Amino acid sequence: MKYFIVAGEKSGDMHAANLCLELAKSSPNVEMMGWGGEKMEAAGVKILKNYRELAFMGFWEVIKNLATIFGFLKLAKKQILDFNPDVLILVDYAGFNLKLAKWAKNQGFKVVYYIAPKAWAWRASRAETIRKYVDLLLVIFPFEKAFFEKYGINTRFVGNPLFDEIAKFETNPFFKKENGLTDKPIVALLPGSRKQEIEGMLQLMANLTKEYADIQWVVAGVSSFDMGFYTVYGGEFNVIFDKTYDLLSVADAAVVTSGTATLETALFKVPQVVVYKTSNFSYQIAKRLVQIKYISLVNLVAQKEVVKELIQREYSLENTKKELEKVLFDNKVRDNQLMEYNGIIQTLGVVKASENAALEILKL
């Protein structure tokens, strides 16, 4: 079997890698090629384009880079034709991958979409696109199955792959000592994994660290950026690279940029404040298009406010201090978040998502 896989960001690379490991078990002669990162490469995928080159966020940022994006699409189409896979597997990254799905289906390729585009948040037209051009949709949240099936889409709920990833994690009992951390409270700062994202979020986080003397502030860094990229913002924090799960395993609370990390933080049972800010142009467009009440995965899964979301203007130093102090020092607030986390874990509690997804692809 031959698979071409396209993942456009860090979390997609991780989940695609676990899926590819399961697909490789199915056949000794499996061939895998695609776009992704180091984890997919370690799983046996020949990487033709690294996801870091694809990290465009927000409407304005996409518009500015349209020529580059169309160039990437043209390149991907040529590579897929040259490889001639049995199945094209698209992982998240909807703006790019849905265009690729439409083209690939018209070329006669079987198309699988893993980790569904958030059509339930944006617009139903995306669901119509999926119905026309995707043979199999593999979703990771229970509520997505009913939504997409309304549109006649061949949909399977396979479980959430974060469970698989966290299940593999082994706690390092020496992590605090190795990184110079003491028994004082630890607050994890998760500004994101993409350059534009970090640049928009980290300055306020850095300012926050100057407000408290008895807290250890630790930024979850990613090694695609050097130390200077983080320390230019000032602040009283350490940066620990590529050890987010280790950091969450010892953190007392966290300030987290909205995205996959909010759910990871919940699964590690760390009380958190969710924050997000983008360009005003992108925000004004999104505000008119987004049809959901919450942006964090934690609240979306719970279908209610479990964690406080500070978005755009609400993401201020004063508001962040106020909400962080609640999850750090107010036992009632902390305990309520942790109790709600347990409910989320039960809701998502299907294990072996990667194995389940691989089995569904093989059936196809």
PDB file of all heavy atoms in Angstrom, residues 186-192 202 204-209 216-221 230 236-238 244 247-248 251 253-257 315 320 324:
ATOM      1  N   ILE A 186       4.720  26.501  40.306  1.00  0.00           N
ATOM      2  CA  ILE A 186       5.171  26.575  38.919  1.00  0.00           C
ATOM      3  C   ILE A 186       3.985  26.919  38.027  1.00  0.00           C
ATOM      4  O   ILE A 186       2.947  26.244  38.072  1.00  0.00           O
ATOM      5  CB  ILE A 186       5.789  25.242  38.467  1.00  0.00           C
ATOM      6  CG1 ILE A 186       7.046  24.935  39.282  1.00  0.00           C
ATOM      7  CG2 ILE A 186       6.117  25.269  36.965  1.00  0.00           C
ATOM      8  CD1 ILE A 186       7.591  23.528  39.052  1.00  0.00           C
ATOM      9  N   VAL A 187       4.136  27.961  37.229  1.00  0.00           N
ATOM     10  CA  VAL A 187       3.119  28.297  36.231  1.00  0.00           C
ATOM     11  C   VAL A 187       3.727  28.088  34.845  1.00  0.00           C
ATOM     12  O   VAL A 187       4.755  28.674  34.510  1.00  0.00           O
ATOM     13  CB  VAL A 187       2.621  29.747  36.368  1.00  0.00           C
ATOM     14  CG1 VAL A 187       1.675  30.101  35.218  1.00  0.00           C
ATOM     15  CG2 VAL A 187       1.918  29.941  37.706  1.00  0.00           C
ATOM     16  N   ALA A 188       3.098  27.224  34.076  1.00  0.00           N
ATOM     17  CA  ALA A 188       3.540  26.954  32.709  1.00  0.00           C
ATOM     18  C   ALA A 188       2.953  28.005  31.775  1.00  0.00           C
ATOM     19  O   ALA A 188       1.755  28.317  31.855  1.00  0.00           O
ATOM     20  CB  ALA A 188       3.094  25.559  32.280  1.00  0.00           C
ATOM     21  N   LEU A 189       3.774  28.539  30.899  1.00  0.00           N
ATOM     22  CA  LEU A 189       3.339  29.495  29.881  1.00  0.00           C
ATOM     23  C   LEU A 189       3.457  28.817  28.529  1.00  0.00           C
ATOM     24  O   LEU A 189       4.558  28.450  28.106  1.00  0.00           O
ATOM     25  CB  LEU A 189       4.199  30.752  29.931  1.00  0.00           C
ATOM     26  CG  LEU A 189       4.209  31.511  31.266  1.00  0.00           C
ATOM     27  CD1 LEU A 189       5.211  32.658  31.214  1.00  0.00           C
ATOM     28  CD2 LEU A 189       2.815  32.033  31.613  1.00  0.00           C
ATOM     29  N   LEU A 190       2.334  28.638  27.850  1.00  0.00           N
ATOM     30  CA  LEU A 190       2.311  27.955  26.556  1.00  0.00           C
ATOM     31  C   LEU A 190       1.871  28.959  25.489  1.00  0.00           C
ATOM     32  O   LEU A 190       0.668  29.117  25.220  1.00  0.00           O
ATOM     33  CB  LEU A 190       1.363  26.756  26.597  1.00  0.00           C
ATOM     34  CG  LEU A 190       1.913  25.453  27.212  1.00  0.00           C
ATOM     35  CD1 LEU A 190       2.241  25.627  28.690  1.00  0.00           C
ATOM     36  CD2 LEU A 190       0.905  24.318  27.053  1.00  0.00           C
ATOM     37  N   PRO A 191       2.837  29.673  24.869  1.00  0.00           N
ATOM     38  CA  PRO A 191       2.482  30.716  23.914  1.00  0.00           C
ATOM     39  C   PRO A 191       2.175  30.212  22.516  1.00  0.00           C
ATOM     40  O   PRO A 191       1.814  31.005  21.640  1.00  0.00           O
ATOM     41  CB  PRO A 191       3.731  31.602  23.902  1.00  0.00           C
ATOM     42  CG  PRO A 191       4.848  30.650  24.195  1.00  0.00           C
ATOM     43  CD  PRO A 191       4.279  29.610  25.128  1.00  0.00           C
ATOM     44  N   GLY A 192       2.320  28.914  22.257  1.00  0.00           N
ATOM     45  CA  GLY A 192       2.059  28.358  20.936  1.00  0.00           C
ATOM     46  C   GLY A 192       3.323  27.788  20.327  1.00  0.00           C
ATOM     47  O   GLY A 192       4.392  27.759  20.957  1.00  0.00           O
ATOM     48  N   LEU A 202       3.441  36.237  23.557  1.00  0.00           N
ATOM     49  CA  LEU A 202       4.456  36.105  24.613  1.00  0.00           C
ATOM     50  C   LEU A 202       4.766  37.407  25.339  1.00  0.00           C
ATOM     51  O   LEU A 202       5.137  37.378  26.513  1.00  0.00           O
ATOM     52  CB  LEU A 202       5.740  35.499  24.028  1.00  0.00           C
ATOM     53  CG  LEU A 202       6.808  35.091  25.044  1.00  0.00           C
ATOM     54  CD1 LEU A 202       6.230  34.148  26.105  1.00  0.00           C
ATOM     55  CD2 LEU A 202       7.993  34.437  24.352  1.00  0.00           C
ATOM     56  N   LEU A 204       2.845  39.767  26.566  1.00  0.00           N
ATOM     57  CA  LEU A 204       2.025  39.941  27.763  1.00  0.00           C
ATOM     58  C   LEU A 204       2.366  38.892  28.809  1.00  0.00           C
ATOM     59  O   LEU A 204       2.394  39.174  30.009  1.00  0.00           O
ATOM     60  CB  LEU A 204       0.538  39.898  27.412  1.00  0.00           C
ATOM     61  CG  LEU A 204      -0.398  40.389  28.519  1.00  0.00           C
ATOM     62  CD1 LEU A 204      -1.628  41.060  27.907  1.00  0.00           C
ATOM     63  CD2 LEU A 204      -0.862  39.252  29.435  1.00  0.00           C
ATOM     64  N   MET A 205       2.647  37.652  28.364  1.00  0.00           N
ATOM     65  CA  MET A 205       3.064  36.617  29.311  1.00  0.00           C
ATOM     66  C   MET A 205       4.349  37.028  30.015  1.00  0.00           C
ATOM     67  O   MET A 205       4.502  36.820  31.232  1.00  0.00           O
ATOM     68  CB  MET A 205       3.259  35.283  28.593  1.00  0.00           C
ATOM     69  CG  MET A 205       1.983  34.650  28.070  1.00  0.00           C
ATOM     70  SD  MET A 205       2.310  33.039  27.294  1.00  0.00           S
ATOM     71  CE  MET A 205       0.655  32.574  26.755  1.00  0.00           C
ATOM     72  N   ALA A 206       5.282  37.632  29.267  1.00  0.00           N
ATOM     73  CA  ALA A 206       6.537  38.095  29.862  1.00  0.00           C
ATOM     74  C   ALA A 206       6.270  39.183  30.899  1.00  0.00           C
ATOM     75  O   ALA A 206       6.870  39.196  31.987  1.00  0.00           O
ATOM     76  CB  ALA A 206       7.471  38.605  28.768  1.00  0.00           C
ATOM     77  N   ASN A 207       5.358  40.104  30.578  1.00  0.00           N
ATOM     78  CA  ASN A 207       5.005  41.154  31.535  1.00  0.00           C
ATOM     79  C   ASN A 207       4.373  40.573  32.788  1.00  0.00           C
ATOM     80  O   ASN A 207       4.591  41.066  33.900  1.00  0.00           O
ATOM     81  CB  ASN A 207       4.053  42.153  30.881  1.00  0.00           C
ATOM     82  CG  ASN A 207       4.699  42.929  29.752  1.00  0.00           C
ATOM     83  OD1 ASN A 207       5.919  42.988  29.648  1.00  0.00           O
ATOM     84  ND2 ASN A 207       3.885  43.505  28.884  1.00  0.00           N
ATOM     85  N   LEU A 208       3.602  39.526  32.611  1.00  0.00           N
ATOM     86  CA  LEU A 208       2.936  38.873  33.743  1.00  0.00           C
ATOM     87  C   LEU A 208       3.948  38.332  34.746  1.00  0.00           C
ATOM     88  O   LEU A 208       3.729  38.392  35.958  1.00  0.00           O
ATOM     89  CB  LEU A 208       2.053  37.736  33.208  1.00  0.00           C
ATOM     90  CG  LEU A 208       1.217  36.946  34.207  1.00  0.00           C
ATOM     91  CD1 LEU A 208       0.141  37.838  34.825  1.00  0.00           C
ATOM     92  CD2 LEU A 208       0.562  35.755  33.509  1.00  0.00           C
ATOM     93  N   THR A 209       5.068  37.824  34.262  1.00  0.00           N
ATOM     94  CA  THR A 209       6.054  37.205  35.156  1.00  0.00           C
ATOM     95  C   THR A 209       6.712  38.220  36.092  1.00  0.00           C
ATOM     96  O   THR A 209       7.280  37.839  37.120  1.00  0.00           O
ATOM     97  CB  THR A 209       7.152  36.490  34.344  1.00  0.00           C
ATOM     98  OG1 THR A 209       7.937  37.449  33.618  1.00  0.00           O
ATOM     99  CG2 THR A 209       6.557  35.487  33.372  1.00  0.00           C
ATOM    100  N   GLN A 216       7.462  30.377  39.992  1.00  0.00           N
ATOM    101  CA  GLN A 216       8.417  29.990  38.960  1.00  0.00           C
ATOM    102  C   GLN A 216       7.684  29.933  37.623  1.00  0.00           C
ATOM    103  O   GLN A 216       6.741  29.155  37.459  1.00  0.00           O
ATOM    104  CB  GLN A 216       9.019  28.622  39.292  1.00  0.00           C
ATOM    105  CG  GLN A 216       9.773  28.594  40.608  1.00  0.00           C
ATOM    106  CD  GLN A 216      10.216  27.193  40.963  1.00  0.00           C
ATOM    107  OE1 GLN A 216      11.352  26.793  40.736  1.00  0.00           O
ATOM    108  NE2 GLN A 216       9.310  26.424  41.533  1.00  0.00           N
ATOM    109  N   TRP A 217       8.111  30.751  36.692  1.00  0.00           N
ATOM    110  CA  TRP A 217       7.477  30.844  35.381  1.00  0.00           C
ATOM    111  C   TRP A 217       8.312  30.067  34.379  1.00  0.00           C
ATOM    112  O   TRP A 217       9.521  30.288  34.278  1.00  0.00           O
ATOM    113  CB  TRP A 217       7.368  32.285  34.938  1.00  0.00           C
ATOM    114  CG  TRP A 217       6.635  33.162  35.907  1.00  0.00           C
ATOM    115  CD1 TRP A 217       7.182  33.871  36.936  1.00  0.00           C
ATOM    116  CD2 TRP A 217       5.239  33.413  35.951  1.00  0.00           C
ATOM    117  NE1 TRP A 217       6.211  34.556  37.622  1.00  0.00           N
ATOM    118  CE2 TRP A 217       4.997  34.292  37.034  1.00  0.00           C
ATOM    119  CE3 TRP A 217       4.154  32.990  35.176  1.00  0.00           C
ATOM    120  CZ2 TRP A 217       3.733  34.745  37.360  1.00  0.00           C
ATOM    121  CZ3 TRP A 217       2.886  33.451  35.501  1.00  0.00           C
ATOM    122  CH2 TRP A 217       2.684  34.312  36.571  1.00  0.00           C
ATOM    123  N   VAL A 218       7.682  29.194  33.637  1.00  0.00           N
ATOM    124  CA  VAL A 218       8.419  28.382  32.672  1.00  0.00           C
ATOM    125  C   VAL A 218       7.673  28.403  31.340  1.00  0.00           C
ATOM    126  O   VAL A 218       6.495  28.022  31.266  1.00  0.00           O
ATOM    127  CB  VAL A 218       8.582  26.923  33.140  1.00  0.00           C
ATOM    128  CG1 VAL A 218       9.454  26.159  32.142  1.00  0.00           C
ATOM    129  CG2 VAL A 218       9.202  26.867  34.530  1.00  0.00           C
ATOM    130  N   VAL A 219       8.365  28.844  30.304  1.00  0.00           N
ATOM    131  CA  VAL A 219       7.803  28.848  28.957  1.00  0.00           C
ATOM    132  C   VAL A 219       8.089  27.517  28.286  1.00  0.00           C
ATOM    133  O   VAL A 219       9.220  27.017  28.314  1.00  0.00           O
ATOM    134  CB  VAL A 219       8.408  29.993  28.112  1.00  0.00           C
ATOM    135  CG1 VAL A 219       7.994  29.862  26.648  1.00  0.00           C
ATOM    136  CG2 VAL A 219       7.985  31.346  28.663  1.00  0.00           C
ATOM    137  N   ALA A 220       7.046  26.925  27.694  1.00  0.00           N
ATOM    138  CA  ALA A 220       7.218  25.711  26.897  1.00  0.00           C
ATOM    139  C   ALA A 220       7.719  26.123  25.516  1.00  0.00           C
ATOM    140  O   ALA A 220       6.949  26.541  24.657  1.00  0.00           O
ATOM    141  CB  ALA A 220       5.889  24.955  26.795  1.00  0.00           C
ATOM    142  N   GLY A 221       9.032  26.029  25.323  1.00  0.00           N
ATOM    143  CA  GLY A 221       9.630  26.448  24.067  1.00  0.00           C
ATOM    144  C   GLY A 221       9.641  25.328  23.040  1.00  0.00           C
ATOM    145  O   GLY A 221       9.522  24.151  23.392  1.00  0.00           O
ATOM    146  N   TYR A 230      12.825  33.924  22.438  1.00  0.00           N
ATOM    147  CA  TYR A 230      11.936  33.995  23.596  1.00  0.00           C
ATOM    148  C   TYR A 230      12.350  35.097  24.567  1.00  0.00           C
ATOM    149  O   TYR A 230      11.499  35.800  25.123  1.00  0.00           O
ATOM    150  CB  TYR A 230      11.915  32.653  24.316  1.00  0.00           C
ATOM    151  CG  TYR A 230      11.232  31.548  23.536  1.00  0.00           C
ATOM    152  CD1 TYR A 230      11.958  30.678  22.735  1.00  0.00           C
ATOM    153  CD2 TYR A 230       9.850  31.383  23.601  1.00  0.00           C
ATOM    154  CE1 TYR A 230      11.328  29.678  22.004  1.00  0.00           C
ATOM    155  CE2 TYR A 230       9.205  30.381  22.884  1.00  0.00           C
ATOM    156  CZ  TYR A 230       9.952  29.536  22.080  1.00  0.00           C
ATOM    157  OH  TYR A 230       9.323  28.550  21.361  1.00  0.00           O
ATOM    158  N   GLU A 236      10.652  37.386  33.643  1.00  0.00           N
ATOM    159  CA  GLU A 236      11.374  36.576  34.622  1.00  0.00           C
ATOM    160  C   GLU A 236      10.952  35.119  34.471  1.00  0.00           C
ATOM    161  O   GLU A 236      10.257  34.566  35.303  1.00  0.00           O
ATOM    162  CB  GLU A 236      11.054  37.071  36.036  1.00  0.00           C
ATOM    163  CG  GLU A 236      11.320  38.548  36.256  1.00  0.00           C
ATOM    164  CD  GLU A 236      12.802  38.903  36.143  1.00  0.00           C
ATOM    165  OE1 GLU A 236      13.642  38.031  36.451  1.00  0.00           O
ATOM    166  OE2 GLU A 236      13.101  40.033  35.728  1.00  0.00           O
ATOM    167  N   PHE A 237      11.360  34.491  33.364  1.00  0.00           N
ATOM    168  CA  PHE A 237      10.945  33.108  33.138  1.00  0.00           C
ATOM    169  C   PHE A 237      12.104  32.268  32.600  1.00  0.00           C
ATOM    170  O   PHE A 237      13.066  32.792  32.025  1.00  0.00           O
ATOM    171  CB  PHE A 237       9.763  33.035  32.159  1.00  0.00           C
ATOM    172  CG  PHE A 237      10.009  33.699  30.826  1.00  0.00           C
ATOM    173  CD1 PHE A 237      10.760  33.082  29.834  1.00  0.00           C
ATOM    174  CD2 PHE A 237       9.459  34.949  30.547  1.00  0.00           C
ATOM    175  CE1 PHE A 237      10.978  33.696  28.603  1.00  0.00           C
ATOM    176  CE2 PHE A 237       9.676  35.566  29.311  1.00  0.00           C
ATOM    177  CZ  PHE A 237      10.435  34.931  28.345  1.00  0.00           C
ATOM    178  N   ASN A 238      11.980  30.963  32.808  1.00  0.00           N
ATOM    179  CA  ASN A 238      12.872  30.001  32.170  1.00  0.00           C
ATOM    180  C   ASN A 238      12.208  29.534  30.871  1.00  0.00           C
ATOM    181  O   ASN A 238      10.980  29.584  30.744  1.00  0.00           O
ATOM    182  CB  ASN A 238      13.106  28.780  33.066  1.00  0.00           C
ATOM    183  CG  ASN A 238      13.834  29.139  34.344  1.00  0.00           C
ATOM    184  OD1 ASN A 238      14.611  30.093  34.372  1.00  0.00           O
ATOM    185  ND2 ASN A 238      13.587  28.392  35.409  1.00  0.00           N
ATOM    186  N   THR A 244       7.055  19.870  26.817  1.00  0.00           N
ATOM    187  CA  THR A 244       5.776  20.394  27.300  1.00  0.00           C
ATOM    188  C   THR A 244       5.094  19.442  28.266  1.00  0.00           C
ATOM    189  O   THR A 244       4.565  19.863  29.304  1.00  0.00           O
ATOM    190  CB  THR A 244       4.840  20.693  26.111  1.00  0.00           C
ATOM    191  OG1 THR A 244       5.469  21.630  25.242  1.00  0.00           O
ATOM    192  CG2 THR A 244       3.517  21.263  26.596  1.00  0.00           C
ATOM    193  N   LEU A 247       6.734  19.510  31.590  1.00  0.00           N
ATOM    194  CA  LEU A 247       6.381  20.742  32.286  1.00  0.00           C
ATOM    195  C   LEU A 247       4.979  20.665  32.864  1.00  0.00           C
ATOM    196  O   LEU A 247       4.755  21.016  34.040  1.00  0.00           O
ATOM    197  CB  LEU A 247       6.504  21.919  31.315  1.00  0.00           C
ATOM    198  CG  LEU A 247       6.041  23.291  31.829  1.00  0.00           C
ATOM    199  CD1 LEU A 247       6.776  23.676  33.100  1.00  0.00           C
ATOM    200  CD2 LEU A 247       6.235  24.347  30.743  1.00  0.00           C
ATOM    201  N   LEU A 248       4.026  20.201  32.074  1.00  0.00           N
ATOM    202  CA  LEU A 248       2.652  20.092  32.573  1.00  0.00           C
ATOM    203  C   LEU A 248       2.547  19.099  33.727  1.00  0.00           C
ATOM    204  O   LEU A 248       1.681  19.248  34.603  1.00  0.00           O
ATOM    205  CB  LEU A 248       1.714  19.687  31.438  1.00  0.00           C
ATOM    206  CG  LEU A 248       1.458  20.753  30.368  1.00  0.00           C
ATOM    207  CD1 LEU A 248       0.625  20.185  29.231  1.00  0.00           C
ATOM    208  CD2 LEU A 248       0.779  21.985  30.953  1.00  0.00           C
ATOM    209  N   ALA A 251       3.434  21.318  36.744  1.00  0.00           N
ATOM    210  CA  ALA A 251       2.881  22.672  36.853  1.00  0.00           C
ATOM    211  C   ALA A 251       1.707  22.728  37.819  1.00  0.00           C
ATOM    212  O   ALA A 251       0.918  21.783  37.934  1.00  0.00           O
ATOM    213  CB  ALA A 251       2.451  23.177  35.479  1.00  0.00           C
ATOM    214  N   ALA A 253      -0.345  25.537  37.612  1.00  0.00           N
ATOM    215  CA  ALA A 253      -1.337  26.233  36.790  1.00  0.00           C
ATOM    216  C   ALA A 253      -0.670  26.571  35.470  1.00  0.00           C
ATOM    217  O   ALA A 253       0.541  26.400  35.305  1.00  0.00           O
ATOM    218  CB  ALA A 253      -1.844  27.495  37.486  1.00  0.00           C
ATOM    219  N   ALA A 254      -1.481  27.065  34.519  1.00  0.00           N
ATOM    220  CA  ALA A 254      -0.934  27.372  33.194  1.00  0.00           C
ATOM    221  C   ALA A 254      -1.714  28.500  32.549  1.00  0.00           C
ATOM    222  O   ALA A 254      -2.917  28.662  32.784  1.00  0.00           O
ATOM    223  CB  ALA A 254      -0.966  26.135  32.302  1.00  0.00           C
ATOM    224  N   VAL A 255      -1.002  29.283  31.726  1.00  0.00           N
ATOM    225  CA  VAL A 255      -1.619  30.249  30.816  1.00  0.00           C
ATOM    226  C   VAL A 255      -1.353  29.709  29.424  1.00  0.00           C
ATOM    227  O   VAL A 255      -0.194  29.548  29.026  1.00  0.00           O
ATOM    228  CB  VAL A 255      -1.022  31.661  30.992  1.00  0.00           C
ATOM    229  CG1 VAL A 255      -1.694  32.641  30.026  1.00  0.00           C
ATOM    230  CG2 VAL A 255      -1.179  32.132  32.433  1.00  0.00           C
ATOM    231  N   VAL A 256      -2.427  29.435  28.673  1.00  0.00           N
ATOM    232  CA  VAL A 256      -2.299  28.627  27.464  1.00  0.00           C
ATOM    233  C   VAL A 256      -2.947  29.331  26.278  1.00  0.00           C
ATOM    234  O   VAL A 256      -4.109  29.741  26.335  1.00  0.00           O
ATOM    235  CB  VAL A 256      -2.976  27.249  27.655  1.00  0.00           C
ATOM    236  CG1 VAL A 256      -2.683  26.339  26.462  1.00  0.00           C
ATOM    237  CG2 VAL A 256      -2.508  26.589  28.952  1.00  0.00           C
ATOM    238  N   THR A 257      -2.188  29.439  25.191  1.00  0.00           N
ATOM    239  CA  THR A 257      -2.751  29.955  23.943  1.00  0.00           C
ATOM    240  C   THR A 257      -3.741  28.939  23.383  1.00  0.00           C
ATOM    241  O   THR A 257      -3.444  27.742  23.321  1.00  0.00           O
ATOM    242  CB  THR A 257      -1.631  30.218  22.924  1.00  0.00           C
ATOM    243  OG1 THR A 257      -0.759  31.209  23.446  1.00  0.00           O
ATOM    244  CG2 THR A 257      -2.208  30.698  21.605  1.00  0.00           C
ATOM    245  N   TYR A 315      -7.653  39.930  26.572  1.00  0.00           N
ATOM    246  CA  TYR A 315      -6.340  39.422  26.945  1.00  0.00           C
ATOM    247  C   TYR A 315      -5.453  40.609  27.341  1.00  0.00           C
ATOM    248  O   TYR A 315      -4.691  41.147  26.544  1.00  0.00           O
ATOM    249  CB  TYR A 315      -5.729  38.641  25.780  1.00  0.00           C
ATOM    250  CG  TYR A 315      -4.334  38.081  26.046  1.00  0.00           C
ATOM    251  CD1 TYR A 315      -4.001  37.530  27.285  1.00  0.00           C
ATOM    252  CD2 TYR A 315      -3.367  38.111  25.052  1.00  0.00           C
ATOM    253  CE1 TYR A 315      -2.742  37.024  27.524  1.00  0.00           C
ATOM    254  CE2 TYR A 315      -2.097  37.603  25.272  1.00  0.00           C
ATOM    255  CZ  TYR A 315      -1.782  37.063  26.514  1.00  0.00           C
ATOM    256  OH  TYR A 315      -0.526  36.555  26.745  1.00  0.00           O
ATOM    257  N   THR A 320      -5.612  38.845  32.970  1.00  0.00           N
ATOM    258  CA  THR A 320      -4.867  37.590  33.080  1.00  0.00           C
ATOM    259  C   THR A 320      -4.433  37.357  34.524  1.00  0.00           C
ATOM    260  O   THR A 320      -4.513  36.230  35.028  1.00  0.00           O
ATOM    261  CB  THR A 320      -3.652  37.594  32.138  1.00  0.00           C
ATOM    262  OG1 THR A 320      -4.069  37.945  30.824  1.00  0.00           O
ATOM    263  CG2 THR A 320      -2.999  36.215  32.102  1.00  0.00           C
ATOM    264  N   LEU A 324      -5.687  34.162  36.602  1.00  0.00           N
ATOM    265  CA  LEU A 324      -4.638  33.251  37.044  1.00  0.00           C
ATOM    266  C   LEU A 324      -4.650  33.082  38.560  1.00  0.00           C
ATOM    267  O   LEU A 324      -4.475  31.970  39.077  1.00  0.00           O
ATOM    268  CB  LEU A 324      -3.268  33.757  36.582  1.00  0.00           C
ATOM    269  CG  LEU A 324      -2.069  32.891  36.986  1.00  0.00           C
ATOM    270  CD1 LEU A 324      -2.179  31.491  36.394  1.00  0.00           C
ATOM    271  CD2 LEU A 324      -0.765  33.549  36.550  1.00  0.00           C
TER     272      LEU A 324
END
